[in-house]
């Protein structure tokens, strides 16, 4: 057995973040060192509650949970209740979680956990705005050496934007944080809308998750039922793109995806194109690639993996 991948997960649940967590928190391949909340889909108060609830649902209260930044580095917070519902995880009933958040700030946890690691050891998975990751890199730049890779859901190229005509939500919410991360010099694996829009929660796929029949899969299916509604109408698609779990699916089964090495920069000045990721897909700038840009996925095999792992709960 190869050794487990040490992972820090930073997220803003969100139904698709929830599915990412379900995939990560029973994966024998991963050593999840901590979960950090970031404001994004909804306010930090709701994100903290949602994250604690999700940890309760999968019975992993041994994993420490931290609250990170409650707003982006420079801009005002923009949220996405129009997609995820008022709670951020509409589709399931709220309850008072037993999981308690740690006192330490999430950014300080990322720094401390990285500092004690070997060089090139820590994998960061980020499925919300990149605020906490950027703040950690700004506060303690020396931790960059400890980071093996940053696996991110964010950005868009050929697919266009989902919050403005050219920007994807996570990057739009904190483009300045994205800029810091893109320039940190560590390997970045970026799952943008070009690939996540190929992973649709069609009715058949949601029914198959429901049919697994354990409590976690039923909660997953009810969240996806709600999540599919807004996006089905928006994209005339019969489901929603299951964005965030692509990150963890890649750690578990890298062969599911195809990538192209590209230089990616982010717009931080223009209100019109704020948060647009300029993906140099055809290498016209001559700039050295800083990102592995996910461009394709075997979506059926992805759902097979998801269902296999959900059935283990
Ligand atoms: C991203 O934005 C959020 O609404 C989702 O959780 C996902 O991380 C997709 O653009
Ligand atoms: Ca998210």
């Amino acid at each position: 057995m190869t050794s487990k991948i040490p992972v820090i997960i930073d997220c803003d649940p969100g139904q698709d973040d929830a599915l990412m967590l379900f995939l990560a928190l029973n994966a024998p391949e991963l050593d999840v060192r901590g979960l950090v909340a970031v404001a994004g889909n909804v306010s930090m108060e709701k994100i903290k509650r949602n994250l604690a609830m999700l940890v309760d649902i999968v019975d992993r209260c041994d994993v420490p949970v931290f609250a990170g930044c409650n707003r982006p580095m420079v801009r005002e917070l923009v949220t996405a209740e129009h997609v995820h519902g008022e709670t951020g995880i509409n589709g399931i009933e709220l309850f008072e979680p037993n999981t308690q958040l740690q006192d330490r700030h999430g950014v300080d946890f990322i720094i401390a956990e990285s500092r004690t690691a070997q060089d090139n050891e820590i994998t960061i998975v980020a499925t919300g705005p990149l605020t906490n990751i950027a703040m950690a890199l700004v506060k303690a730049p020396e931790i960059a050496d400890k980071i093996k890779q940053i696996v991110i859901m964010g950005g868009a190229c050929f697919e266009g934007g989902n919050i403005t005509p050219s920007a994807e939500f996570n990057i739009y919410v904190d483009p300045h944080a994205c800029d810091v991360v893109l320039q940190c010099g560590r390997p970045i694996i970026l799952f943008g809308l070009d690939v996540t829009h190929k992973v649709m929660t069609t009715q058949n796929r949601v029914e198959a998750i429901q049919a697994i029949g354990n409590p976690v899969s039923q909660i997953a299916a009810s969240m996806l039922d709600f999540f599919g509604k807004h996006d089905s109408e928006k994209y005339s698609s019969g489901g929603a793109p299951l964005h965030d779990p692509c990150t963890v699916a890649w750690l578990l089964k890298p062969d599911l995806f195809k990538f192209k090495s590209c230089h990616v920069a982010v717009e931080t000045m223009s209100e019109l194109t704020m948060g647009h990721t300029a993906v140099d897909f055809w290498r016209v700038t001559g700039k050295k690639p800083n990102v592995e840009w996910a461009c394709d996925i075997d979506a059926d095999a992805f759902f097979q993996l998801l269902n296999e792992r959900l059935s283990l709960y």
Side-chain angles (χ1 to χ4, degrees):
M1 169 88 185
T2 48
S3 55
K4 292 180 181 237
I5 306 169
V7 178
I8 295 171
I9 297 178
D10 189 280
C11 60
D12 64 336
Q15 294 89 349
D16 58 331
D17 301 78
L19 269 285
M20 175 278 294
L21 290 166
F22 293 170
L23 203 48
L25 289 173
N26 75 349
E29 297 89 343
L30 306 185
D31 169 16
V32 180
R33 301 266 173 100
L35 304 173
V36 186
V38 66
N41 283 325
V42 285
S43 69
M44 177 52 88
E45 279 314 304
K46 292 179 184 175
I47 294 289
K48 287 194 292 194
R49 174 206 60 205
N50 293 353
L51 191 49
M53 278 174 59
L54 292 163
V55 169
D56 274 20
I57 286 168
V58 295
D59 202 13
R60 283 300 309 270
C61 53
D62 55 304
V63 180
V65 184
F66 302 84
C69 297
N70 58 16
R71 50 156 290 182
M73 291 177 93
V74 177
R75 288 162 60 80
E76 293 295 317
L77 179 64
V78 174
T79 54
E81 285 86 354
H82 60 289
V83 180
H84 299 275
E86 271 313 304
T87 72
I89 47 173
N90 277 43
I92 59 169
E93 294 294 321
L94 295 182
F95 60 88
E96 192 56 48
N98 287 323
T99 298
Q100 299 295 315
L101 272 76
Q102 306 286 314
D103 289 337
R104 200 194 301 171
H105 193 279
V107 170
D108 294 324
F109 163 71
I110 295 171
I111 293 171
E113 190 64 29
S114 304
R115 276 196 178 131
T116 56
Q118 305 290 316
D119 276 3
N120 220 18
E121 185 182 342
I122 299 288
T123 290
I124 294 178
V125 170
T127 62
L130 292 164
T131 319
N132 294 329
I133 319 302
M135 291 293 280
L137 287 163
V138 168
K139 195 171 177 192
E142 74 281 3
I143 65 165
D145 289 342
K146 309 301 179 95
I147 297 171
K148 178 178 179 203
Q149 55 194 358
I150 310 178
V151 187
I152 299 167
M153 189 282 132
C157 176
F158 295 108
E159 192 68 11
N162 62 358
I163 183 76
T164 72
S166 61
E168 179 280 324
F169 179 78
N170 287 341
I171 307 302
Y172 176 75
V173 173
D174 200 339
H176 301 90
C178 178
D179 193 36
V180 171
V181 171
L182 286 173
Q183 296 195 51
C184 78
R186 304 309 300 158
I188 293 172
I189 327 297
L190 200 47
F191 296 86
L193 302 182
D194 291 7
V195 74
T196 67
H197 279 196
K198 296 178 176 171
V199 189
M200 303 305 289
T201 61
T202 59
Q203 202 185 334
N204 285 349
R205 286 168 171 165
V206 176
E207 281 170 8
I209 290 173
Q210 165 82 32
I212 293 169
N214 64 37
V216 175
S217 73
Q218 291 187 338
I219 284 170
S222 348
M223 281 194 291
L224 292 181
D225 240 5
F226 180 90
F227 187 52
K229 289 197 174 78
H230 170 270
D231 280 359
S232 291
E233 203 170 305
K234 180 174 177 184
Y235 301 114
S236 312
S237 57
L242 196 48
H243 311 279
D244 293 340
C246 288
T247 53
V248 171
W250 175 72
L251 289 172
L252 307 185
K253 223 165 180 241
D255 294 349
L256 293 178
F257 296 89
K258 288 204 176 77
F259 296 90
K260 185 161 175 180
S261 304
C262 298
H263 185 271
V264 180
V266 59
E267 177 59 60
T268 57
M269 309 278 270
S270 153
E271 274 305 323
L272 178 64
T273 55
M274 186 66 72
H276 166 71
T277 40
V279 180
D280 186 6
F281 198 82
W282 304 116
R283 310 219 174 114
V284 293
T285 63
K287 289 184 180 159
K288 197 168 150 237
N290 56 349
V291 158
E292 290 301 311
W293 177 253
C295 24
D296 207 2
I297 179 170
D298 180 342
D300 287 334
F302 166 92
F303 279 97
Q304 195 185 330
L305 171 71
L306 182 63
N307 292 8
E308 270 167 26
R309 296 307 175 96
L310 286 174
S311 61
L312 297 177
Y313 278 108

